[in-house]
Amino acid sequence: NEVMVDYLEENEHADHRVGLHHDEPDVIDVIDSKPQKPQQQQPASNVKQVTSDDNTTWSAPLKKAGDDATILLKPAFGTHRPSSNAILVFAEGYDLSIYLSFVESLANTGYSGDVVFSISNESKLKSGVKEYLLSKSNSQSEEGVNIIAYEVEWTCFKKSGESARGSGEGMNNCKMANVFGDAAGNPVDDPREPRPVATARYELYWIW
């Protein structure tokens, strides 16, 4: 599909600019909710081993926000199906044609599972996007594509530290707003330093 090819190439170029280029564009992640037997690998002799219960090096995003922190971020619309596989997508600011091409191509492959989007705030969505995504929100059935959408607020900065409007196609560093809260449910500041949204999206995937 020509539209999706252009989309993937654009994302790959953005990854080049922020230093996150891989052999293939890292646009979506597929999460299989069914437990898989881990593959045994020989540890490298020069790599420090971190046990599964040791969070001193790799603490969870929620832990960074405080011992009593809670997650405030909720879906703008749609409901997760816990027994379904899920494809996690960071896709903010695109025209309807991009969303339509992506979702319909998944449906045409026979994919049956959740598709979880991070999208722009409703006031910034392009024409027809919300209506289309809502039409594919199908949590009442265990079959077919089911869309869940989150609207994330970002506070972004240029490399100079000056305030910026939006992520600048991955060039600006950003912090998430109203994602974490204290025990009483009051919002707390994003505990991490401003970083490209291409990096911050993995914290959203952890939350989802």
Side-chain angles (χ1 to χ4, degrees):
N1 186 296
E2 183 177 348
V3 174
M4 284 305 297
V5 169
D6 290 342
Y7 168 60
L8 293 176
E9 288 179 349
E10 177 183 343
N11 191 81
E12 184 176 16
H13 294 159
D15 279 355
H16 268 300
R17 293 195 295 270
V18 297
L20 296 175
H21 177 65
H22 305 285
D23 291 336
E24 296 181 359
D26 188 6
V27 181
I28 61 175
D29 296 303
V30 181
I31 306 300
D32 190 341
S33 59
K34 299 178 182 178
Q36 300 291 326
K37 183 178 180 180
Q39 296 181 349
Q40 297 296 324
Q41 297 181 344
Q42 294 296 325
S45 59
N46 62 340
V47 176
K48 177 184 176 182
Q49 298 301 305
V50 180
T51 59
S52 59
D53 59 348
D54 182 358
N55 289 325
T56 58
T57 302
W58 305 107
S59 58
L62 185 61
K63 187 70 173 178
K64 283 279 190 180
D67 292 337
D68 297 326
T70 58
I71 296 173
L72 302 182
L73 185 65
K74 304 295 182 185
F77 56 84
T79 304
H80 293 271
R81 299 181 299 192
S83 62
S84 296
N85 291 339
I87 295 176
L88 311 180
V89 188
F90 185 92
E92 298 187 4
Y94 293 104
D95 293 329
L96 172 61
S97 61
I98 298 297
Y99 296 96
L100 190 150
S101 181
F102 180 76
V103 174
E104 296 302 326
S105 67
L106 278 177
N108 289 340
T109 67
Y111 173 74
S112 181
D114 290 351
V115 183
V116 190
F117 280 97
S118 174
I119 60 176
S120 305
N121 289 335
E122 184 173 350
S123 62
K124 299 178 181 178
L125 285 175
K126 302 294 180 64
S127 177
V129 170
K130 181 177 181 180
E131 291 77 11
Y132 172 71
L133 295 179
L134 273 171
S135 74
K136 297 295 182 178
S137 186
N138 184 34
S139 61
Q140 301 303 314
S141 172
E142 291 299 320
E143 301 296 327
V145 172
N146 172 50
I147 287 180
I148 305 99
Y150 289 80
E151 297 176 0
V152 181
E153 298 179 38
W154 300 95
T155 302
C156 299
F157 308 88
K158 298 178 180 179
K159 300 301 182 185
S160 63
E162 180 185 355
S163 295
R165 294 185 62 183
S167 64
E169 297 184 352
M171 295 300 292
N172 296 330
N173 291 329
C174 303
K175 300 189 73 166
M176 296 182 288
N178 301 318
V179 171
F180 300 111
D182 59 21
N186 301 308
V188 299
D189 290 339
D190 185 341
R192 284 180 164 78
E193 294 295 322
R195 61 277 189 207
V197 293
T199 300
R201 60 179 167 160
Y202 292 107
E203 294 164 57
L204 296 176
Y205 296 171
W206 179 85
I207 291 171
W208 298 343

